[in-house]
Amino acid sequence: MSLRIYGNRQLKTLPGQNTRPTPARVREAVFNIWQGDIRGCRWLDLCSGSGAMGAEALCRGASVVVGIEQLGKACATVRQNWQQVAKPEQQFQVLRGDVVKRLLALKGQQFDRIYFDPPYASDLYEPVLQIVARDRLLAPDGEFAVERDPKREMVAEPPELELIREKVYGNTAVRFYRWASAEG
């Protein structure tokens, strides 16, 4: 299976639903919301899947893209997709492993944009939100988007992060967070 991203570029995906790609209209909406903030940013792609979100960020001028994905075959696909679209001055890295454990290794780094698209039925939401807030992985003026099933109740969010908007696109909802006013 393949999918298309910004600039009509074609990416590879794995067969089946193990790495459910973010729907095209959701990708487009997220990048429309963040359109003035991608060029030169540091992007963190959590539960990368096919790498479509990180590839879009690279195509739109992100300077650094880091992805975390658990499945080995998916990591190879992400690497291949990002290599295909990255310019020589852009950096990217794909980290294989459990997203919670790999996030802990990123302590001390900050990202301008973080996109988190876990398996919707997973129990990853709360620990990932907590680690991003506790370890200050989000840059002071950054935003953090969390993709989820709109029918599923959202977990308790850390008080350091403020929900600034939520958009629903059919079977996909995206919540956008930034630092709460006093945290920035």
Side-chain angles (χ1 to χ4, degrees):
M1 187 169 117
S2 66
L3 60 97
R4 294 196 180 279
I5 61 165
Y6 183 77
N8 204 26
R9 293 174 175 93
Q10 190 168 318
L11 298 180
K12 293 184 179 184
T13 62
L14 292 176
Q17 288 295 309
N18 284 341
T19 58
R20 167 196 41 77
T22 298
R25 77 181 208 171
V26 175
R27 283 195 320 273
E28 181 180 0
V30 167
F31 282 95
N32 283 341
I33 290 168
W34 284 348
Q35 66 183 326
D37 302 313
I38 302 301
R39 185 160 303 286
C41 85
R42 293 180 49 83
W43 178 281
L44 180 58
D45 190 359
L46 303 175
C47 299
S48 298
S50 66
M53 294 302 284
E56 290 267 7
L58 286 165
C59 288
R60 294 168 189 256
S63 62
V64 174
V65 174
V66 175
I68 299 176
E69 174 55 50
Q70 186 160 359
L71 298 172
K73 286 183 179 180
C75 286
T77 300
V78 171
R79 241 181 245 101
Q80 184 179 8
N81 284 335
W82 291 359
Q83 208 161 26
Q84 173 187 321
V85 300
K87 295 181 176 93
E89 67 274 10
Q90 293 174 304
Q91 298 174 13
F92 66 85
Q93 179 181 21
V94 182
L95 305 173
R96 180 180 179 196
D98 175 84
V99 68
V100 172
K101 291 177 183 167
R102 295 302 276 186
L103 263 180
L104 294 171
L106 295 177
K107 188 173 183 171
Q109 296 184 49
Q110 288 193 323
F111 298 88
D112 304 297
R113 295 292 176 265
I114 300 175
Y115 197 82
F116 178 39
D117 178 15
Y120 289 171
S122 76
D123 292 326
L124 294 171
Y125 290 97
E126 188 168 1
V128 167
L129 284 161
Q130 295 296 331
I131 292 167
V132 166
R134 184 194 68 217
D135 292 351
R136 304 201 58 81
L137 296 174
L138 185 63
D141 292 329
E143 284 191 24
F144 177 19
V146 177
E147 189 175 316
R148 67 185 193 88
D149 179 342
K151 294 180 218 94
R152 187 171 181 204
E153 192 67 31
M154 192 61 183
V155 298
E157 297 145 339
E160 300 90 347
L161 295 175
E162 171 184 25
L163 176 65
I164 54 173
R165 70 179 77 82
E166 181 170 26
K167 303 287 186 178
V168 178
Y169 309 95
N171 294 327
T172 302
V174 182
R175 284 188 161 210
F176 293 83
Y177 299 91
R178 67 176 172 213
W179 290 112
S181 306
E183 291 293 319

